[in-house]
Amino acid sequence: MRRWDFVAAYLQGELEPGEVVYCHPPPGYATIGSDGRPRICRVQKPVYGMAQAGRKWQRTRFPWLEAQGFTQSSTDTCIFSKTRGSDKLVIGCYVDDLFVLYSADDPHSL
């Protein structure tokens, strides 16, 4: 078994076309503009803490796994598997981590 943690994984996702998301400025940035009105920021990429961020990351990762020949489980949509002969590779996705289990001595053979 192996485990991978994707650093800044949520930044790899994309907002849907036409989707507009705003947030408060991050700590250290001016929250009031020169005109005295509160400032807001338009989000360009999903970020940690954003309600949609995990789903956006899934929409990037899941199609890629399927394009690599993995089949999504019908009972748990975060589990993917691939079989070649008697060798089996199973990937579990949780937040920004991948858990990989394989039956072959050489996982590159799959």
Side-chain angles (χ1 to χ4, degrees):
M1 182 176 128
R2 293 192 180 185
R3 178 185 163 270
W4 282 276
D5 179 28
F6 287 84
V7 177
Y10 287 1
L11 296 176
Q12 305 306 316
E14 297 289 334
L15 295 174
E16 296 295 315
E19 182 178 15
V20 179
V21 178
Y22 294 97
C23 69
H24 296 284
Y29 285 83
T31 57
I32 304 295
S34 58
D35 59 0
R37 296 173 48 197
R39 286 191 172 180
I40 59 170
C41 300
R42 183 173 178 181
V43 176
Q44 298 294 316
K45 289 277 205 175
V47 293
Y48 285 92
M50 197 172 116
Q52 306 96 315
R55 183 71 183 123
K56 303 301 181 189
W57 170 232
Q58 284 181 346
R59 286 186 179 150
T60 301
R61 178 183 46 201
F62 287 10
W64 183 87
L65 286 168
E66 290 172 336
Q68 302 308 308
F70 286 88
T71 303
Q72 191 173 30
S73 169
S74 60
T75 55
D76 186 336
T77 59
C78 292
I79 304 290
F80 291 82
S81 63
K82 182 178 183 179
T83 303
R84 186 174 289 166
S86 63
D87 297 330
K88 186 160 188 162
L89 180 64
V90 178
I91 296 180
C93 306
Y94 181 73
V95 187
D96 61 351
D97 297 319
L98 289 183
F99 299 92
V100 181
L101 298 108
Y102 47 89
S103 62
D105 289 335
D106 179 15
H108 300 291
S109 68
L110 293 169

